[in-house]
Amino acid sequence: MNFFKVFTGLGLAILAKNFATNTFKRGYFKSKVVLITGASKGLGLVLARELLKEGASVAICARKEDELERAKRELSRYGKDVHTIVCDVTNENQVQQMILDILDYYGGLDILVNNAGIIQVAPMHAFKKQDYEKAMNVMYWGMANTTLEVIPYFREQGAGQIVNITSVGGKVSMPHLLPYDASKFAAVGFSEGSAAELRKDGIYVTTIIPGLMRTGSFVNADFQKGNKKEFNLFRILANLPLATISAEKAAHRILNAVRDKRAVKVIGIQARMLIELHHFFPNLTVKLFSLVNKQIPSSQEREIVKGSEMETQQGGHFRSMGQKEKENYQSF
């Protein structure tokens, strides 16, 4: 009898704990103010949508006002007003004004999500120094600018969270993505180092390391002019379910990591496997990628063009999509 009582009591205690944990998780973002950079499309837009569903107040920024307005109309279906700000995160003055705007509009800020990014795809000989600088300015300095701007405010209030969306390319460097890889390596280093330093101030930094996602990044990516074969290869890989993860699923896992105040979260089994392989067998991964590189098509042209231009040249596939698909395919 005593054993039965103990067993029953233990079971009830576990159920109560699980119920309390799930209740806390469901209400974690309620009434929190969240800023998401690069959120007019792609993963940033999906994150904004999910946060609104959970009761957060959301501000989004991007460089183009028309894209922000389109995103605001899309997000207005979820009940709360979304504050939009035109901001280039590579510009320190614009970032400073954006943070002041949000503090004035909402009266506070709880979570910063650094999501702004670009993708450049081409062999090493096609990139110029400006391409590397562009990638670093957006994906390293863009992250650093917003982070350094919110830290004094978070320190003053004794709490805050910073979520940095990086990439598996920031842990394993891949051919034909060198500017992207280099900037993401810098972003991962900055993010993980700041996580260790800021925790004593009540500021939690989460480094998100996603693999390839089905956000349609190939449409807005920069490709080597004339290299339609590489564009098509990238498009195929970006849409394979076994090689990618949906933006919605990625968003849910990111928000769970934020709730748990995780320091690092790798998104996608493909990304985890690649990181582990490279960690234990770095020479093997370099050899494998060198073999892959031999099979990737290339050309001698050095000019870089938008993926949307390549898509149009191949029959306007992007323009023929439905509205829902089109929004998902406007990534970053």
Side-chain angles (χ1 to χ4, degrees), residues 29-77:
F29 294 105
K30 190 174 179 61
S31 301
K32 279 188 167 56
V33 177
V34 185
L35 165 63
I36 310 173
T37 68
S40 62
K41 46 199 171 187
L43 177 63
L45 182 62
V46 175
L47 282 169
R49 185 189 306 151
E50 295 305 315
L51 283 163
L52 287 170
K53 289 179 182 178
E54 300 216 19
S57 296
V58 177
I60 62 174
C61 85
R63 289 174 296 175
K64 297 180 180 179
E65 187 171 3
D66 60 332
E67 292 184 357
L68 280 171
E69 286 303 312
R70 180 195 58 78
K72 186 170 185 174
R73 289 194 298 272
E74 154 72 14
L75 295 171
S76 65
R77 291 183 282 174

Side-chain angles (χ1 to χ4, degrees), residues 135-147:
M136 286 295 292
N137 284 338
V138 174
M139 290 178 287
Y140 173 71
W141 282 113
M143 173 186 295
N145 287 339
T146 52
T147 298

Side-chain angles (χ1 to χ4, degrees), residues 86-100 145 149:
V86 177
C87 178
D88 181 348
V89 293
T90 69
N91 185 308
E92 290 181 66
N93 291 330
Q94 289 186 30
V95 168
Q96 184 179 41
Q97 285 303 122
M98 174 176 66
I99 300 304
L100 290 174
N145 287 339
E149 193 61 41

Side-chain angles (χ1 to χ4, degrees), residues 119-135:
I119 297 180
Q120 300 147 298
V121 186
M124 191 175 186
H125 73 260
F127 289 122
K128 299 176 182 178
K129 182 180 178 182
Q130 297 94 300
D131 296 313
Y132 291 91
E133 290 174 341
K134 181 180 178 182

Side-chain angles (χ1 to χ4, degrees), residues 107-246:
L109 178 64
D110 300 293
I111 302 172
L112 164 66
V113 181
N114 285 308
N115 173 71
I118 58 173
I119 297 180
Q120 300 147 298
V121 186
M124 191 175 186
H125 73 260
F127 289 122
K128 299 176 182 178
K129 182 180 178 182
Q130 297 94 300
D131 296 313
Y132 291 91
E133 290 174 341
K134 181 180 178 182
M136 286 295 292
N137 284 338
V138 174
M139 290 178 287
Y140 173 71
W141 282 113
M143 173 186 295
N145 287 339
T146 52
T147 298
L148 296 173
E149 193 61 41
V150 301
I151 284 174
Y153 175 76
F154 283 169
R155 276 192 173 132
E156 185 178 338
Q157 70 181 13
Q161 285 184 262
I162 300 168
V163 184
N164 296 320
I165 311 297
T166 65
S167 169
V168 66
K171 302 292 281 187
V172 184
S173 193
M174 304 173 208
H176 287 225
L177 289 164
L178 289 190
Y180 181 83
D181 292 336
S183 60
K184 289 296 187 180
F185 262 79
V188 169
F190 178 83
S191 185
E192 292 185 350
S194 60
E197 287 205 28
L198 294 173
R199 189 165 289 201
K200 64 180 174 55
D201 301 312
I203 304 170
Y204 289 85
V205 180
T206 300
T207 306
I208 301 295
I209 305 175
L212 197 57
M213 289 179 285
R214 293 192 296 280
T215 59
S217 55
F218 65 88
V219 173
N220 285 326
D222 295 333
F223 286 86
Q224 184 185 20
K225 185 177 181 180
N227 196 351
K228 295 180 182 179
K229 289 183 178 179
E230 181 160 36
F231 171 77
N232 287 328
L233 177 62
F234 197 90
R235 176 170 61 179
I236 291 168
L237 288 174
N239 287 287
L240 284 176
L242 294 178
T244 60
I245 184 172
S246 72

